[in-house]
Structures are given as C-alpha cells and as structure tokens.
Amino acid sequence: MAKKNGAQAIMMWILMAMLIAGLGGFGIDSFLGGRVTSIGAVGDRQIPADAYARALQAEMRGLESQIGQPVTLAMAQGAQIDQQVRAQLITEAALDNEADRIGISVGDQNVQRSIVQMGAFQGPTGAFDMETYRFRLQNNGMTPAEFEEQVRRDAARSLLQAATAAGIETPDNLRAPLMDYYATRHRFDIFTLTEAQLSSPLTEPDEAAIQAYYDANLARFTTPETRHITFAWLTPDMVLDSVEVNEATIRSLYDERIADYIQPERRLVERLVFGSEAEAQAAMDRLTAGEASFEELVTARGLSLDDADMGDVSEAQLSAAGAAVFALEEPGQVVGPLPSNLGPALFRMNAILNAQETTFEEARDELRAELAGDAARRAIQDQQESLDDLLAGGATLEDLAAESAMQLGEIDWNADVTEGIAAYTEFAAAAASAQADDFPELAPLSDGGLFALRLDRVTPPAPQPLDAVRVEAAAGAREEALNAALATLGQEWSGELASGGVEAFSEARGIAAETLADVTRLDPQPQIPPSMMDELMAGDEGTTVLHVAEGRALLALIGPTEAADTEDAQTQQLTQAINQQMGQSLAQDVFTYFARALQAEAGITLNQAAIDAVHTNFR
C-alpha cells in the first residue's frame, strides 16, 4: 500500500512540475511568483505582451472590415499580419530605446494638448470630456496613465523620425526624368479620314461577307445562359397603403429630432490656441498692426488651417468666447485673446450661418413616410415566421402567394437583366446560384422585403440564327470593310504627309487638320484613343501615326517638342507633387535604415513562449 501511495505522489509532482512550466511559459502567474509580461525587448526597452495583443487584435479587426467575415489567428498568420505587427512594435521599441538613451521626451503640457485635441474623447458639446476619455480607455483595456505614457512615447518617436527626414530633398536626377515624361510639351496635327475620302464608294457586303463576319464574331451573336425563374416577393412599398401611422407618433419623432429641424444661428470658426495670455496678445497685436496674417500666425505655431478649423459652431459651444465671436459681423474678422478649453486663443469668423427652422407641418410628410416605411418593414418581419412555416410544410410559391400578401412573378434572368426584382443584388446572387432541385427558401432584400425563388429551367447559351441578326451582321461586315479600306488609304497617305508636311497635304487632299499644341501627358484628350496617344507621345518628330476604328481613321503627324513650362501652374503643381512624393519615399527609406541600425546596435530578443501565449487568446 505504501509503495502504491509513493508512486502516486511521484506522479502528482511530475504533473505539477509540467503544469508550472506550462503556466510560466504562457505569461500566467506561476507558483514560483514569476509572470511573463513582454514578448521581447530591443536593448533595454521591453515590448509589452498586452501591447502586442491589442495591436494584433486591431489589425485583425481591420482585415475583418475589409473582407466582411471573421478573421481567425490562422488566417492572420497566413497573411503574415502577426509578423508585421511584431516588426512595427520592434521598430517602436528601438526608437523608444534610443530616445531614452539620448534623453528625448515631451512635457506634460504637450501630452495634455495632444489628448484634449483628439476627436475620440470629445463629449456632446464638442469639447474634451473626462468621462468619455476614461470610458474609451477602459473599453480598450488601458488606464489613463498607460495611455498618457503611450502618447508621450509616440511624440518622442515622432521627433526622432522627423529628425531623420530633416533636410532630405528630391535629387535633380530623380526629378528630371519624371518632369520630362509628364511635362514635356508635344505638338500633333491630326487628320480625320472617313468614307468620304475613299476614291470609290464602298459596296454593300454580299451574303458571303455577312456570313464570314457572322462566323468570325459568333460570340457577339450568342445569347447568354437564361434562367427561367418563378418567384414570390413582398416589399415595404407593397404594404405601405395598409400601414397606419398615428399623428402623435409623427409629432413625437419631430420632437425627438427637434435639434435637426430648429438650429440656432451658427458660425464657421477657426481657433488658434496659445500657451499663455501674453503669447496670444502678442500675436493679436501683430495681426492688428498688419505685421502678420492669421494664416501666418497659424503656420508659425507649426499648425495648418485644418488644425485650427472648428467647423460650424453655435454660440453655446464656444462657451465664454461665444458672445465675442458672434458679435463679429464680417467674415474674416479675428477676435481675441479669449478663453477656450485648451487655453487662450484667437478666433477667426469665416461665415455666418443663419438660424434654420423647419415647422412640423413642413416635416410631417417626410416623417410619416419614414415611420410608415419602418412599420411596413416590421409588418413583413412579423410575417416571416408564418411564411417560413408554410414553405417548411411543403407549400409552393403559388400557394405562398395565394395564402399571404406575397406577390407571384416570373422572370427570364441573366446577368444583363436589372429591372424589377432583378435590381436587387440579393435576388441576382440567389438566381445565379439556384439549382433545379433546391427547395424555395425565404431570403431578405436590402429594403426590408422578402423573396423566395424556384429555378424552373435553364436555357444554355446558344448562337442566334443568322436570319435573326442579319441587320447587325451586315452592319458589322460593312464597318469591317470600311476600316480595312481606311487603313489602306491611311497607309498610302502617311508617306505623303510625312514628306510634304501638314499644309501641303491639307491643300492637296482638301482636309483640314486639327492642331494640338503644348500637349502634355497631364492633359486629357478624349477625342484621341489612349493607345494612339501613347504612340504620339513616344514617337519621333516628323513620323506619322495611324489609328483606325469604328469607321474612321485618324492620321497624325508628330511635331516638335518643347521643354516643360516652369511658369505654368500645372507644371509647378507637378513639381511640387514629385518633390513631395519622392521626398516622402526617400525619407521613409532613410527612416527604415535608421530604425534597422538602431535595432542592430541595441540587439533584439524575442520570447516565443510569450508570443505563443498571446496567440492562445485568439484561438
């Protein structure tokens, strides 16, 4: 008996040791008092496990919204999302480690300013709300202290990243080829050749030509697969007449939305906040003296007008500054310094929005229609269970229409049919996938209606007889012959145009040219097919380009090119766009190399057990 008890004790301790090891590896408080709280480190900067979990969850939710279905950990790993998240956190940790090493940080005032300006934490009045702030952080599993430290770290990382990009400019050898490609100015002279230029009239196609065209373009004359479908459906519009809406309910909805129908006078306002009353007054003095504009004051604060824009606000939303701002009579006027929830500020009023009032009588019909539509949708939903029971009991669609408000119909459906019930994407999807042995099932429509369908038969794709499409085939054969004749003519005249020039050719052939000058790749020319435009832009001066389609030929002579016009507004915008995009790309490359160097210098360690423990929560 003692031997048996000893063996059981040994086995128990073995199991306990395995359990301790397992719990310790997965970041759970172990019997030895340890806990894994990070998935690794870069230098002295730890990568918190909860930060990895939150970032991974956010990326998975983002993917879910894109594909419209739940994303499992296996799917995320298949898309390498977990690797991307870890790489991002490693980069952030490397920057944090470097910021700690060289002593970069931001003060509490900057952290506070950043947080109170975040739209996610605004309350009903549009201003920062502490309760909203705490509630949102709690929902994301963070404390205010943790979030504020994150904001501080984000700001420090931004300073480092901005420092790596400072002074980076787009080199001329990168900008010049792009400018040449997009902004070089081209000249073309284009002649349009039609049937009128042919030396002899085009004969009508004979039977052999029509048959040949029909045979060569059989797909054009083939009907698509057609699905012959019987359906029953019920939509809110079908039951609107039977819906009664109580007058008191309409009035109640109007009262509920009174803020939409009765709006006080509002102003479009921009607000520029300063750190102190003295700074704000000094800025106002410069503005009053004409030494700086409001825009220049905003720029001097390192902000843009978008940062200062408050949108349309009421007097109440501006609190203590409301009366002074609403006393301004002309758009563009500035007042201040005035108090705001962020500190002393200057306010510029840009437009006056008059008070608006929509009476109950004016809104009644719209509100009644909305309520009636809601009631109609509820009425249909209330019938859904009984309709399902009818179908489950073996009722046909004909029975369903006879015993309910559903309406019966038939349709010869293919992908090109978009009228009636075929306009609903839900019906089109069901019609495309229906099988002959499927039992009818109720399915929802996007407007709150219901439908069920039955596939009666399928007519496969089939060529239409030539006699049924003879007119179309004859027209196609004639256009084909005309295109061939114009192509031959254009090729014959190309040499004459290239050797004699535009004026001589125009005089000899009695055709006027359309001259396009100073054309760049940024200038749309809808009258010229894209493929022809590509040839014109790439061709050499003095060469011709011929394009034939749809019974006409375009014969063009390429003229001389000129360098980009640096004074042109479009060219200047192009230069700015190239500098910005190339600069951003170069800055990103420099930052990437900088971050990799920091990682290599500090050293990276990853705890696979901790990573696996985080992943366990996603299974």
Side-chain angles (χ1 to χ4, degrees):
M1 190 69 167
K3 290 181 179 181
K4 183 176 181 180
N5 288 339
Q8 289 176 339
I10 293 172
M11 181 60 68
M12 180 187 72
W13 282 110
I14 292 174
L15 292 175
M16 289 292 288
M18 293 174 62
L19 179 60
I20 291 172
L23 292 176
F26 281 85
I28 299 173
D29 289 330
S30 70
F31 293 102
L32 302 178
R35 180 177 177 83
V36 177
T37 58
S38 71
I39 64 167
V42 179
D44 295 331
R45 173 57 54 182
Q46 298 293 315
I47 304 174
D50 56 352
Y52 175 54
R54 283 195 298 268
L56 181 57
Q57 184 180 51
E59 291 297 323
M60 291 172 64
R61 285 178 177 173
L63 182 58
E64 286 177 357
S65 65
Q66 292 180 22
I67 65 176
Q69 67 181 56
V71 173
T72 63
L73 177 64
M75 293 170 62
Q77 290 175 319
Q80 298 185 336
I81 290 177
D82 60 324
Q83 297 179 31
Q84 296 169 15
V85 170
R86 289 197 295 274
Q88 177 62 31
L89 292 177
I90 288 171
T91 298
E92 292 179 0
L95 293 173
D96 288 344
N97 184 72
E98 181 66 7
D100 290 343
R101 187 184 71 82
I102 62 180
I104 292 180
S105 184
V106 296
D108 293 342
Q109 186 177 5
N110 289 327
V111 172
Q112 180 187 20
R113 184 181 298 114
S114 297
I115 292 175
V116 298
Q117 290 179 343
M118 293 180 183
F121 304 136
Q122 292 180 355
T125 63
F128 175 78
D129 182 76
M130 181 58 74
E131 291 303 317
T132 302
Y133 174 61
R134 291 172 176 165
F135 175 75
R136 290 191 179 275
L137 291 184
Q138 184 178 2
N139 281 351
N140 285 277
M142 299 183 72
T143 66
E146 291 172 336
F147 181 72
E148 288 156 17
E149 179 60 22
Q150 178 179 307
V151 172
R152 193 186 309 278
R153 295 258 171 219
D154 289 343
R157 287 195 295 269
S158 296
L159 291 174
L160 269 178
Q161 185 169 358
T164 64
I168 293 179
E169 297 181 357
T170 303
D172 288 338
N173 63 342
L174 292 180
R175 183 192 308 106
L178 291 172
M179 291 296 296
D180 289 342
Y181 182 80
Y182 285 107
T184 294
R185 293 173 289 169
H186 300 258
R187 174 192 171 99
F188 318 113
D189 291 283
I190 303 176
F191 294 88
T192 301
L193 312 182
T194 65
E195 188 175 351
Q197 275 72 53
L198 297 178
S199 58
S200 58
L202 192 69
T203 59
E204 295 300 319
D206 57 18
E207 187 63 25
I210 295 174
Q211 182 69 53
Y213 183 83
Y214 172 82
D215 293 339
N217 297 275
L218 197 58
R220 176 180 173 184
F221 303 112
T222 298
T223 59
E225 177 185 271
T226 301
R227 295 176 153 245
H228 306 275
I229 291 172
T230 299
F231 62 90
W233 65 326
L234 184 62
T235 68
D237 287 343
M238 295 177 185
V239 298
L240 274 180
D241 292 341
S242 63
V243 172
E244 294 185 3
V245 180
N246 189 290
E247 193 72 13
T249 305
I250 303 176
R251 171 64 74 172
S252 176
L253 182 58
Y254 176 81
D255 293 339
E256 181 181 327
R257 299 181 181 173
I258 196 66
D260 296 333
Y261 293 114
I262 300 180
Q263 295 187 353
E265 189 174 293
R266 304 173 74 82
R267 298 285 190 273
L268 292 181
V269 175
E270 291 166 335
R271 176 183 62 188
L272 182 57
V273 181
F274 292 86
S276 68
E277 186 82 18
E279 290 180 55
Q281 186 60 57
M284 187 64 186
D285 292 342
R286 292 186 63 206
L287 185 69
T288 303
E291 298 175 359
S293 65
F294 186 81
E295 289 81 359
E296 290 170 339
L297 293 177
V298 171
T299 303
R301 298 282 294 165
L303 304 171
S304 67
L305 288 178
D306 287 339
D307 297 323
D309 187 21
M310 298 185 70
D312 60 298
V313 293
S314 66
E315 183 174 349
Q317 288 176 300
L318 293 173
S319 302
V325 173
F326 270 67
L328 299 176
E329 298 180 352
E330 296 295 332
Q333 290 182 323
V334 179
V335 66
L338 294 170
S340 76
N341 60 322
L342 300 179
L346 305 185
F347 293 83
R348 180 166 72 170
M349 189 273 290
N350 293 314
I352 298 174
L353 305 180
N354 294 328
Q356 296 181 353
E357 180 176 354
T358 302
T359 65
F360 173 73
E361 289 71 21
E362 292 171 334
R364 182 185 179 283
D365 290 344
E366 178 185 342
L367 293 173
R368 187 199 177 285
E370 179 182 341
L371 290 169
D374 291 341
R377 284 185 282 273
R378 288 194 299 272
I380 292 174
Q381 292 173 1
D382 292 342
Q383 298 179 53
Q384 183 169 352
E385 184 175 354
S386 62
L387 296 173
D388 277 326
D389 291 342
L390 285 173
L391 288 175
T396 64
L397 296 180
E398 289 78 6
D399 296 334
L400 202 64
E403 299 181 31
S404 72
M406 297 194 79
Q407 297 182 12
L408 194 68
E410 295 180 352
I411 187 172
D412 292 334
W413 183 85
N414 61 59
D416 296 327
V417 179
T418 57
E419 297 179 353
I421 193 171
Y424 291 90
T425 56
E426 299 86 359
F427 177 86
S433 61
Q435 301 297 318
D437 56 354
D438 290 344
F439 289 102
E441 295 182 352
L442 282 180
L445 293 171
S446 58
D447 62 357
L450 297 171
F451 78 97
L453 62 79
R454 179 183 67 231
L455 178 62
D456 297 324
R457 65 184 187 281
V458 177
T459 300
Q464 300 176 74
L466 176 57
D467 288 342
V469 293
R470 183 173 298 278
V471 174
E472 293 86 349
R478 190 182 193 285
E479 183 179 293
E480 192 174 73
L482 178 56
N483 286 343
L486 290 173
T488 300
L489 180 64
Q491 290 166 2
E492 292 175 357
W493 286 3
S494 289
E496 179 182 341
L497 175 59
S499 61
V502 173
E503 292 185 7
F505 179 83
S506 179
E507 183 177 349
R509 295 303 175 185
I511 314 171
E514 178 185 5
T515 300
L516 300 178
D518 294 334
V519 177
T520 73
R521 291 183 184 271
L522 301 176
D523 300 320
Q525 302 294 330
Q527 76 276 28
I528 302 177
S531 59
M532 183 180 186
M533 181 58 75
D534 289 340
E535 290 187 67
L536 291 172
M537 291 287 186
D540 296 326
E541 180 182 352
T543 59
T544 58
V545 175
L546 177 65
H547 183 276
V548 182
E550 299 179 353
R552 73 166 187 166
L554 297 178
L555 178 60
L557 180 66
I558 301 177
T561 60
E562 295 183 45
D565 180 5
T566 57
E567 300 300 321
D568 180 67
Q570 181 174 254
T571 303
Q572 292 175 351
Q573 291 176 1
L574 174 63
T575 304
Q576 183 178 358
I578 291 174
N579 288 339
Q580 182 177 1
Q581 292 180 16
M582 294 296 294
Q584 289 176 349
S585 178
L586 291 172
Q588 183 59 46
D589 290 343
V590 170
F591 173 71
T592 299
Y593 296 135
F594 174 66
R596 289 175 181 172
L598 292 180
Q599 294 168 25
E601 181 180 354
I604 303 172
T605 58
L606 290 177
N607 185 338
Q608 189 59 48
I611 294 172
D612 293 340
V614 172
H615 290 174
T616 301
N617 295 324
F618 289 87
R619 293 193 174 97

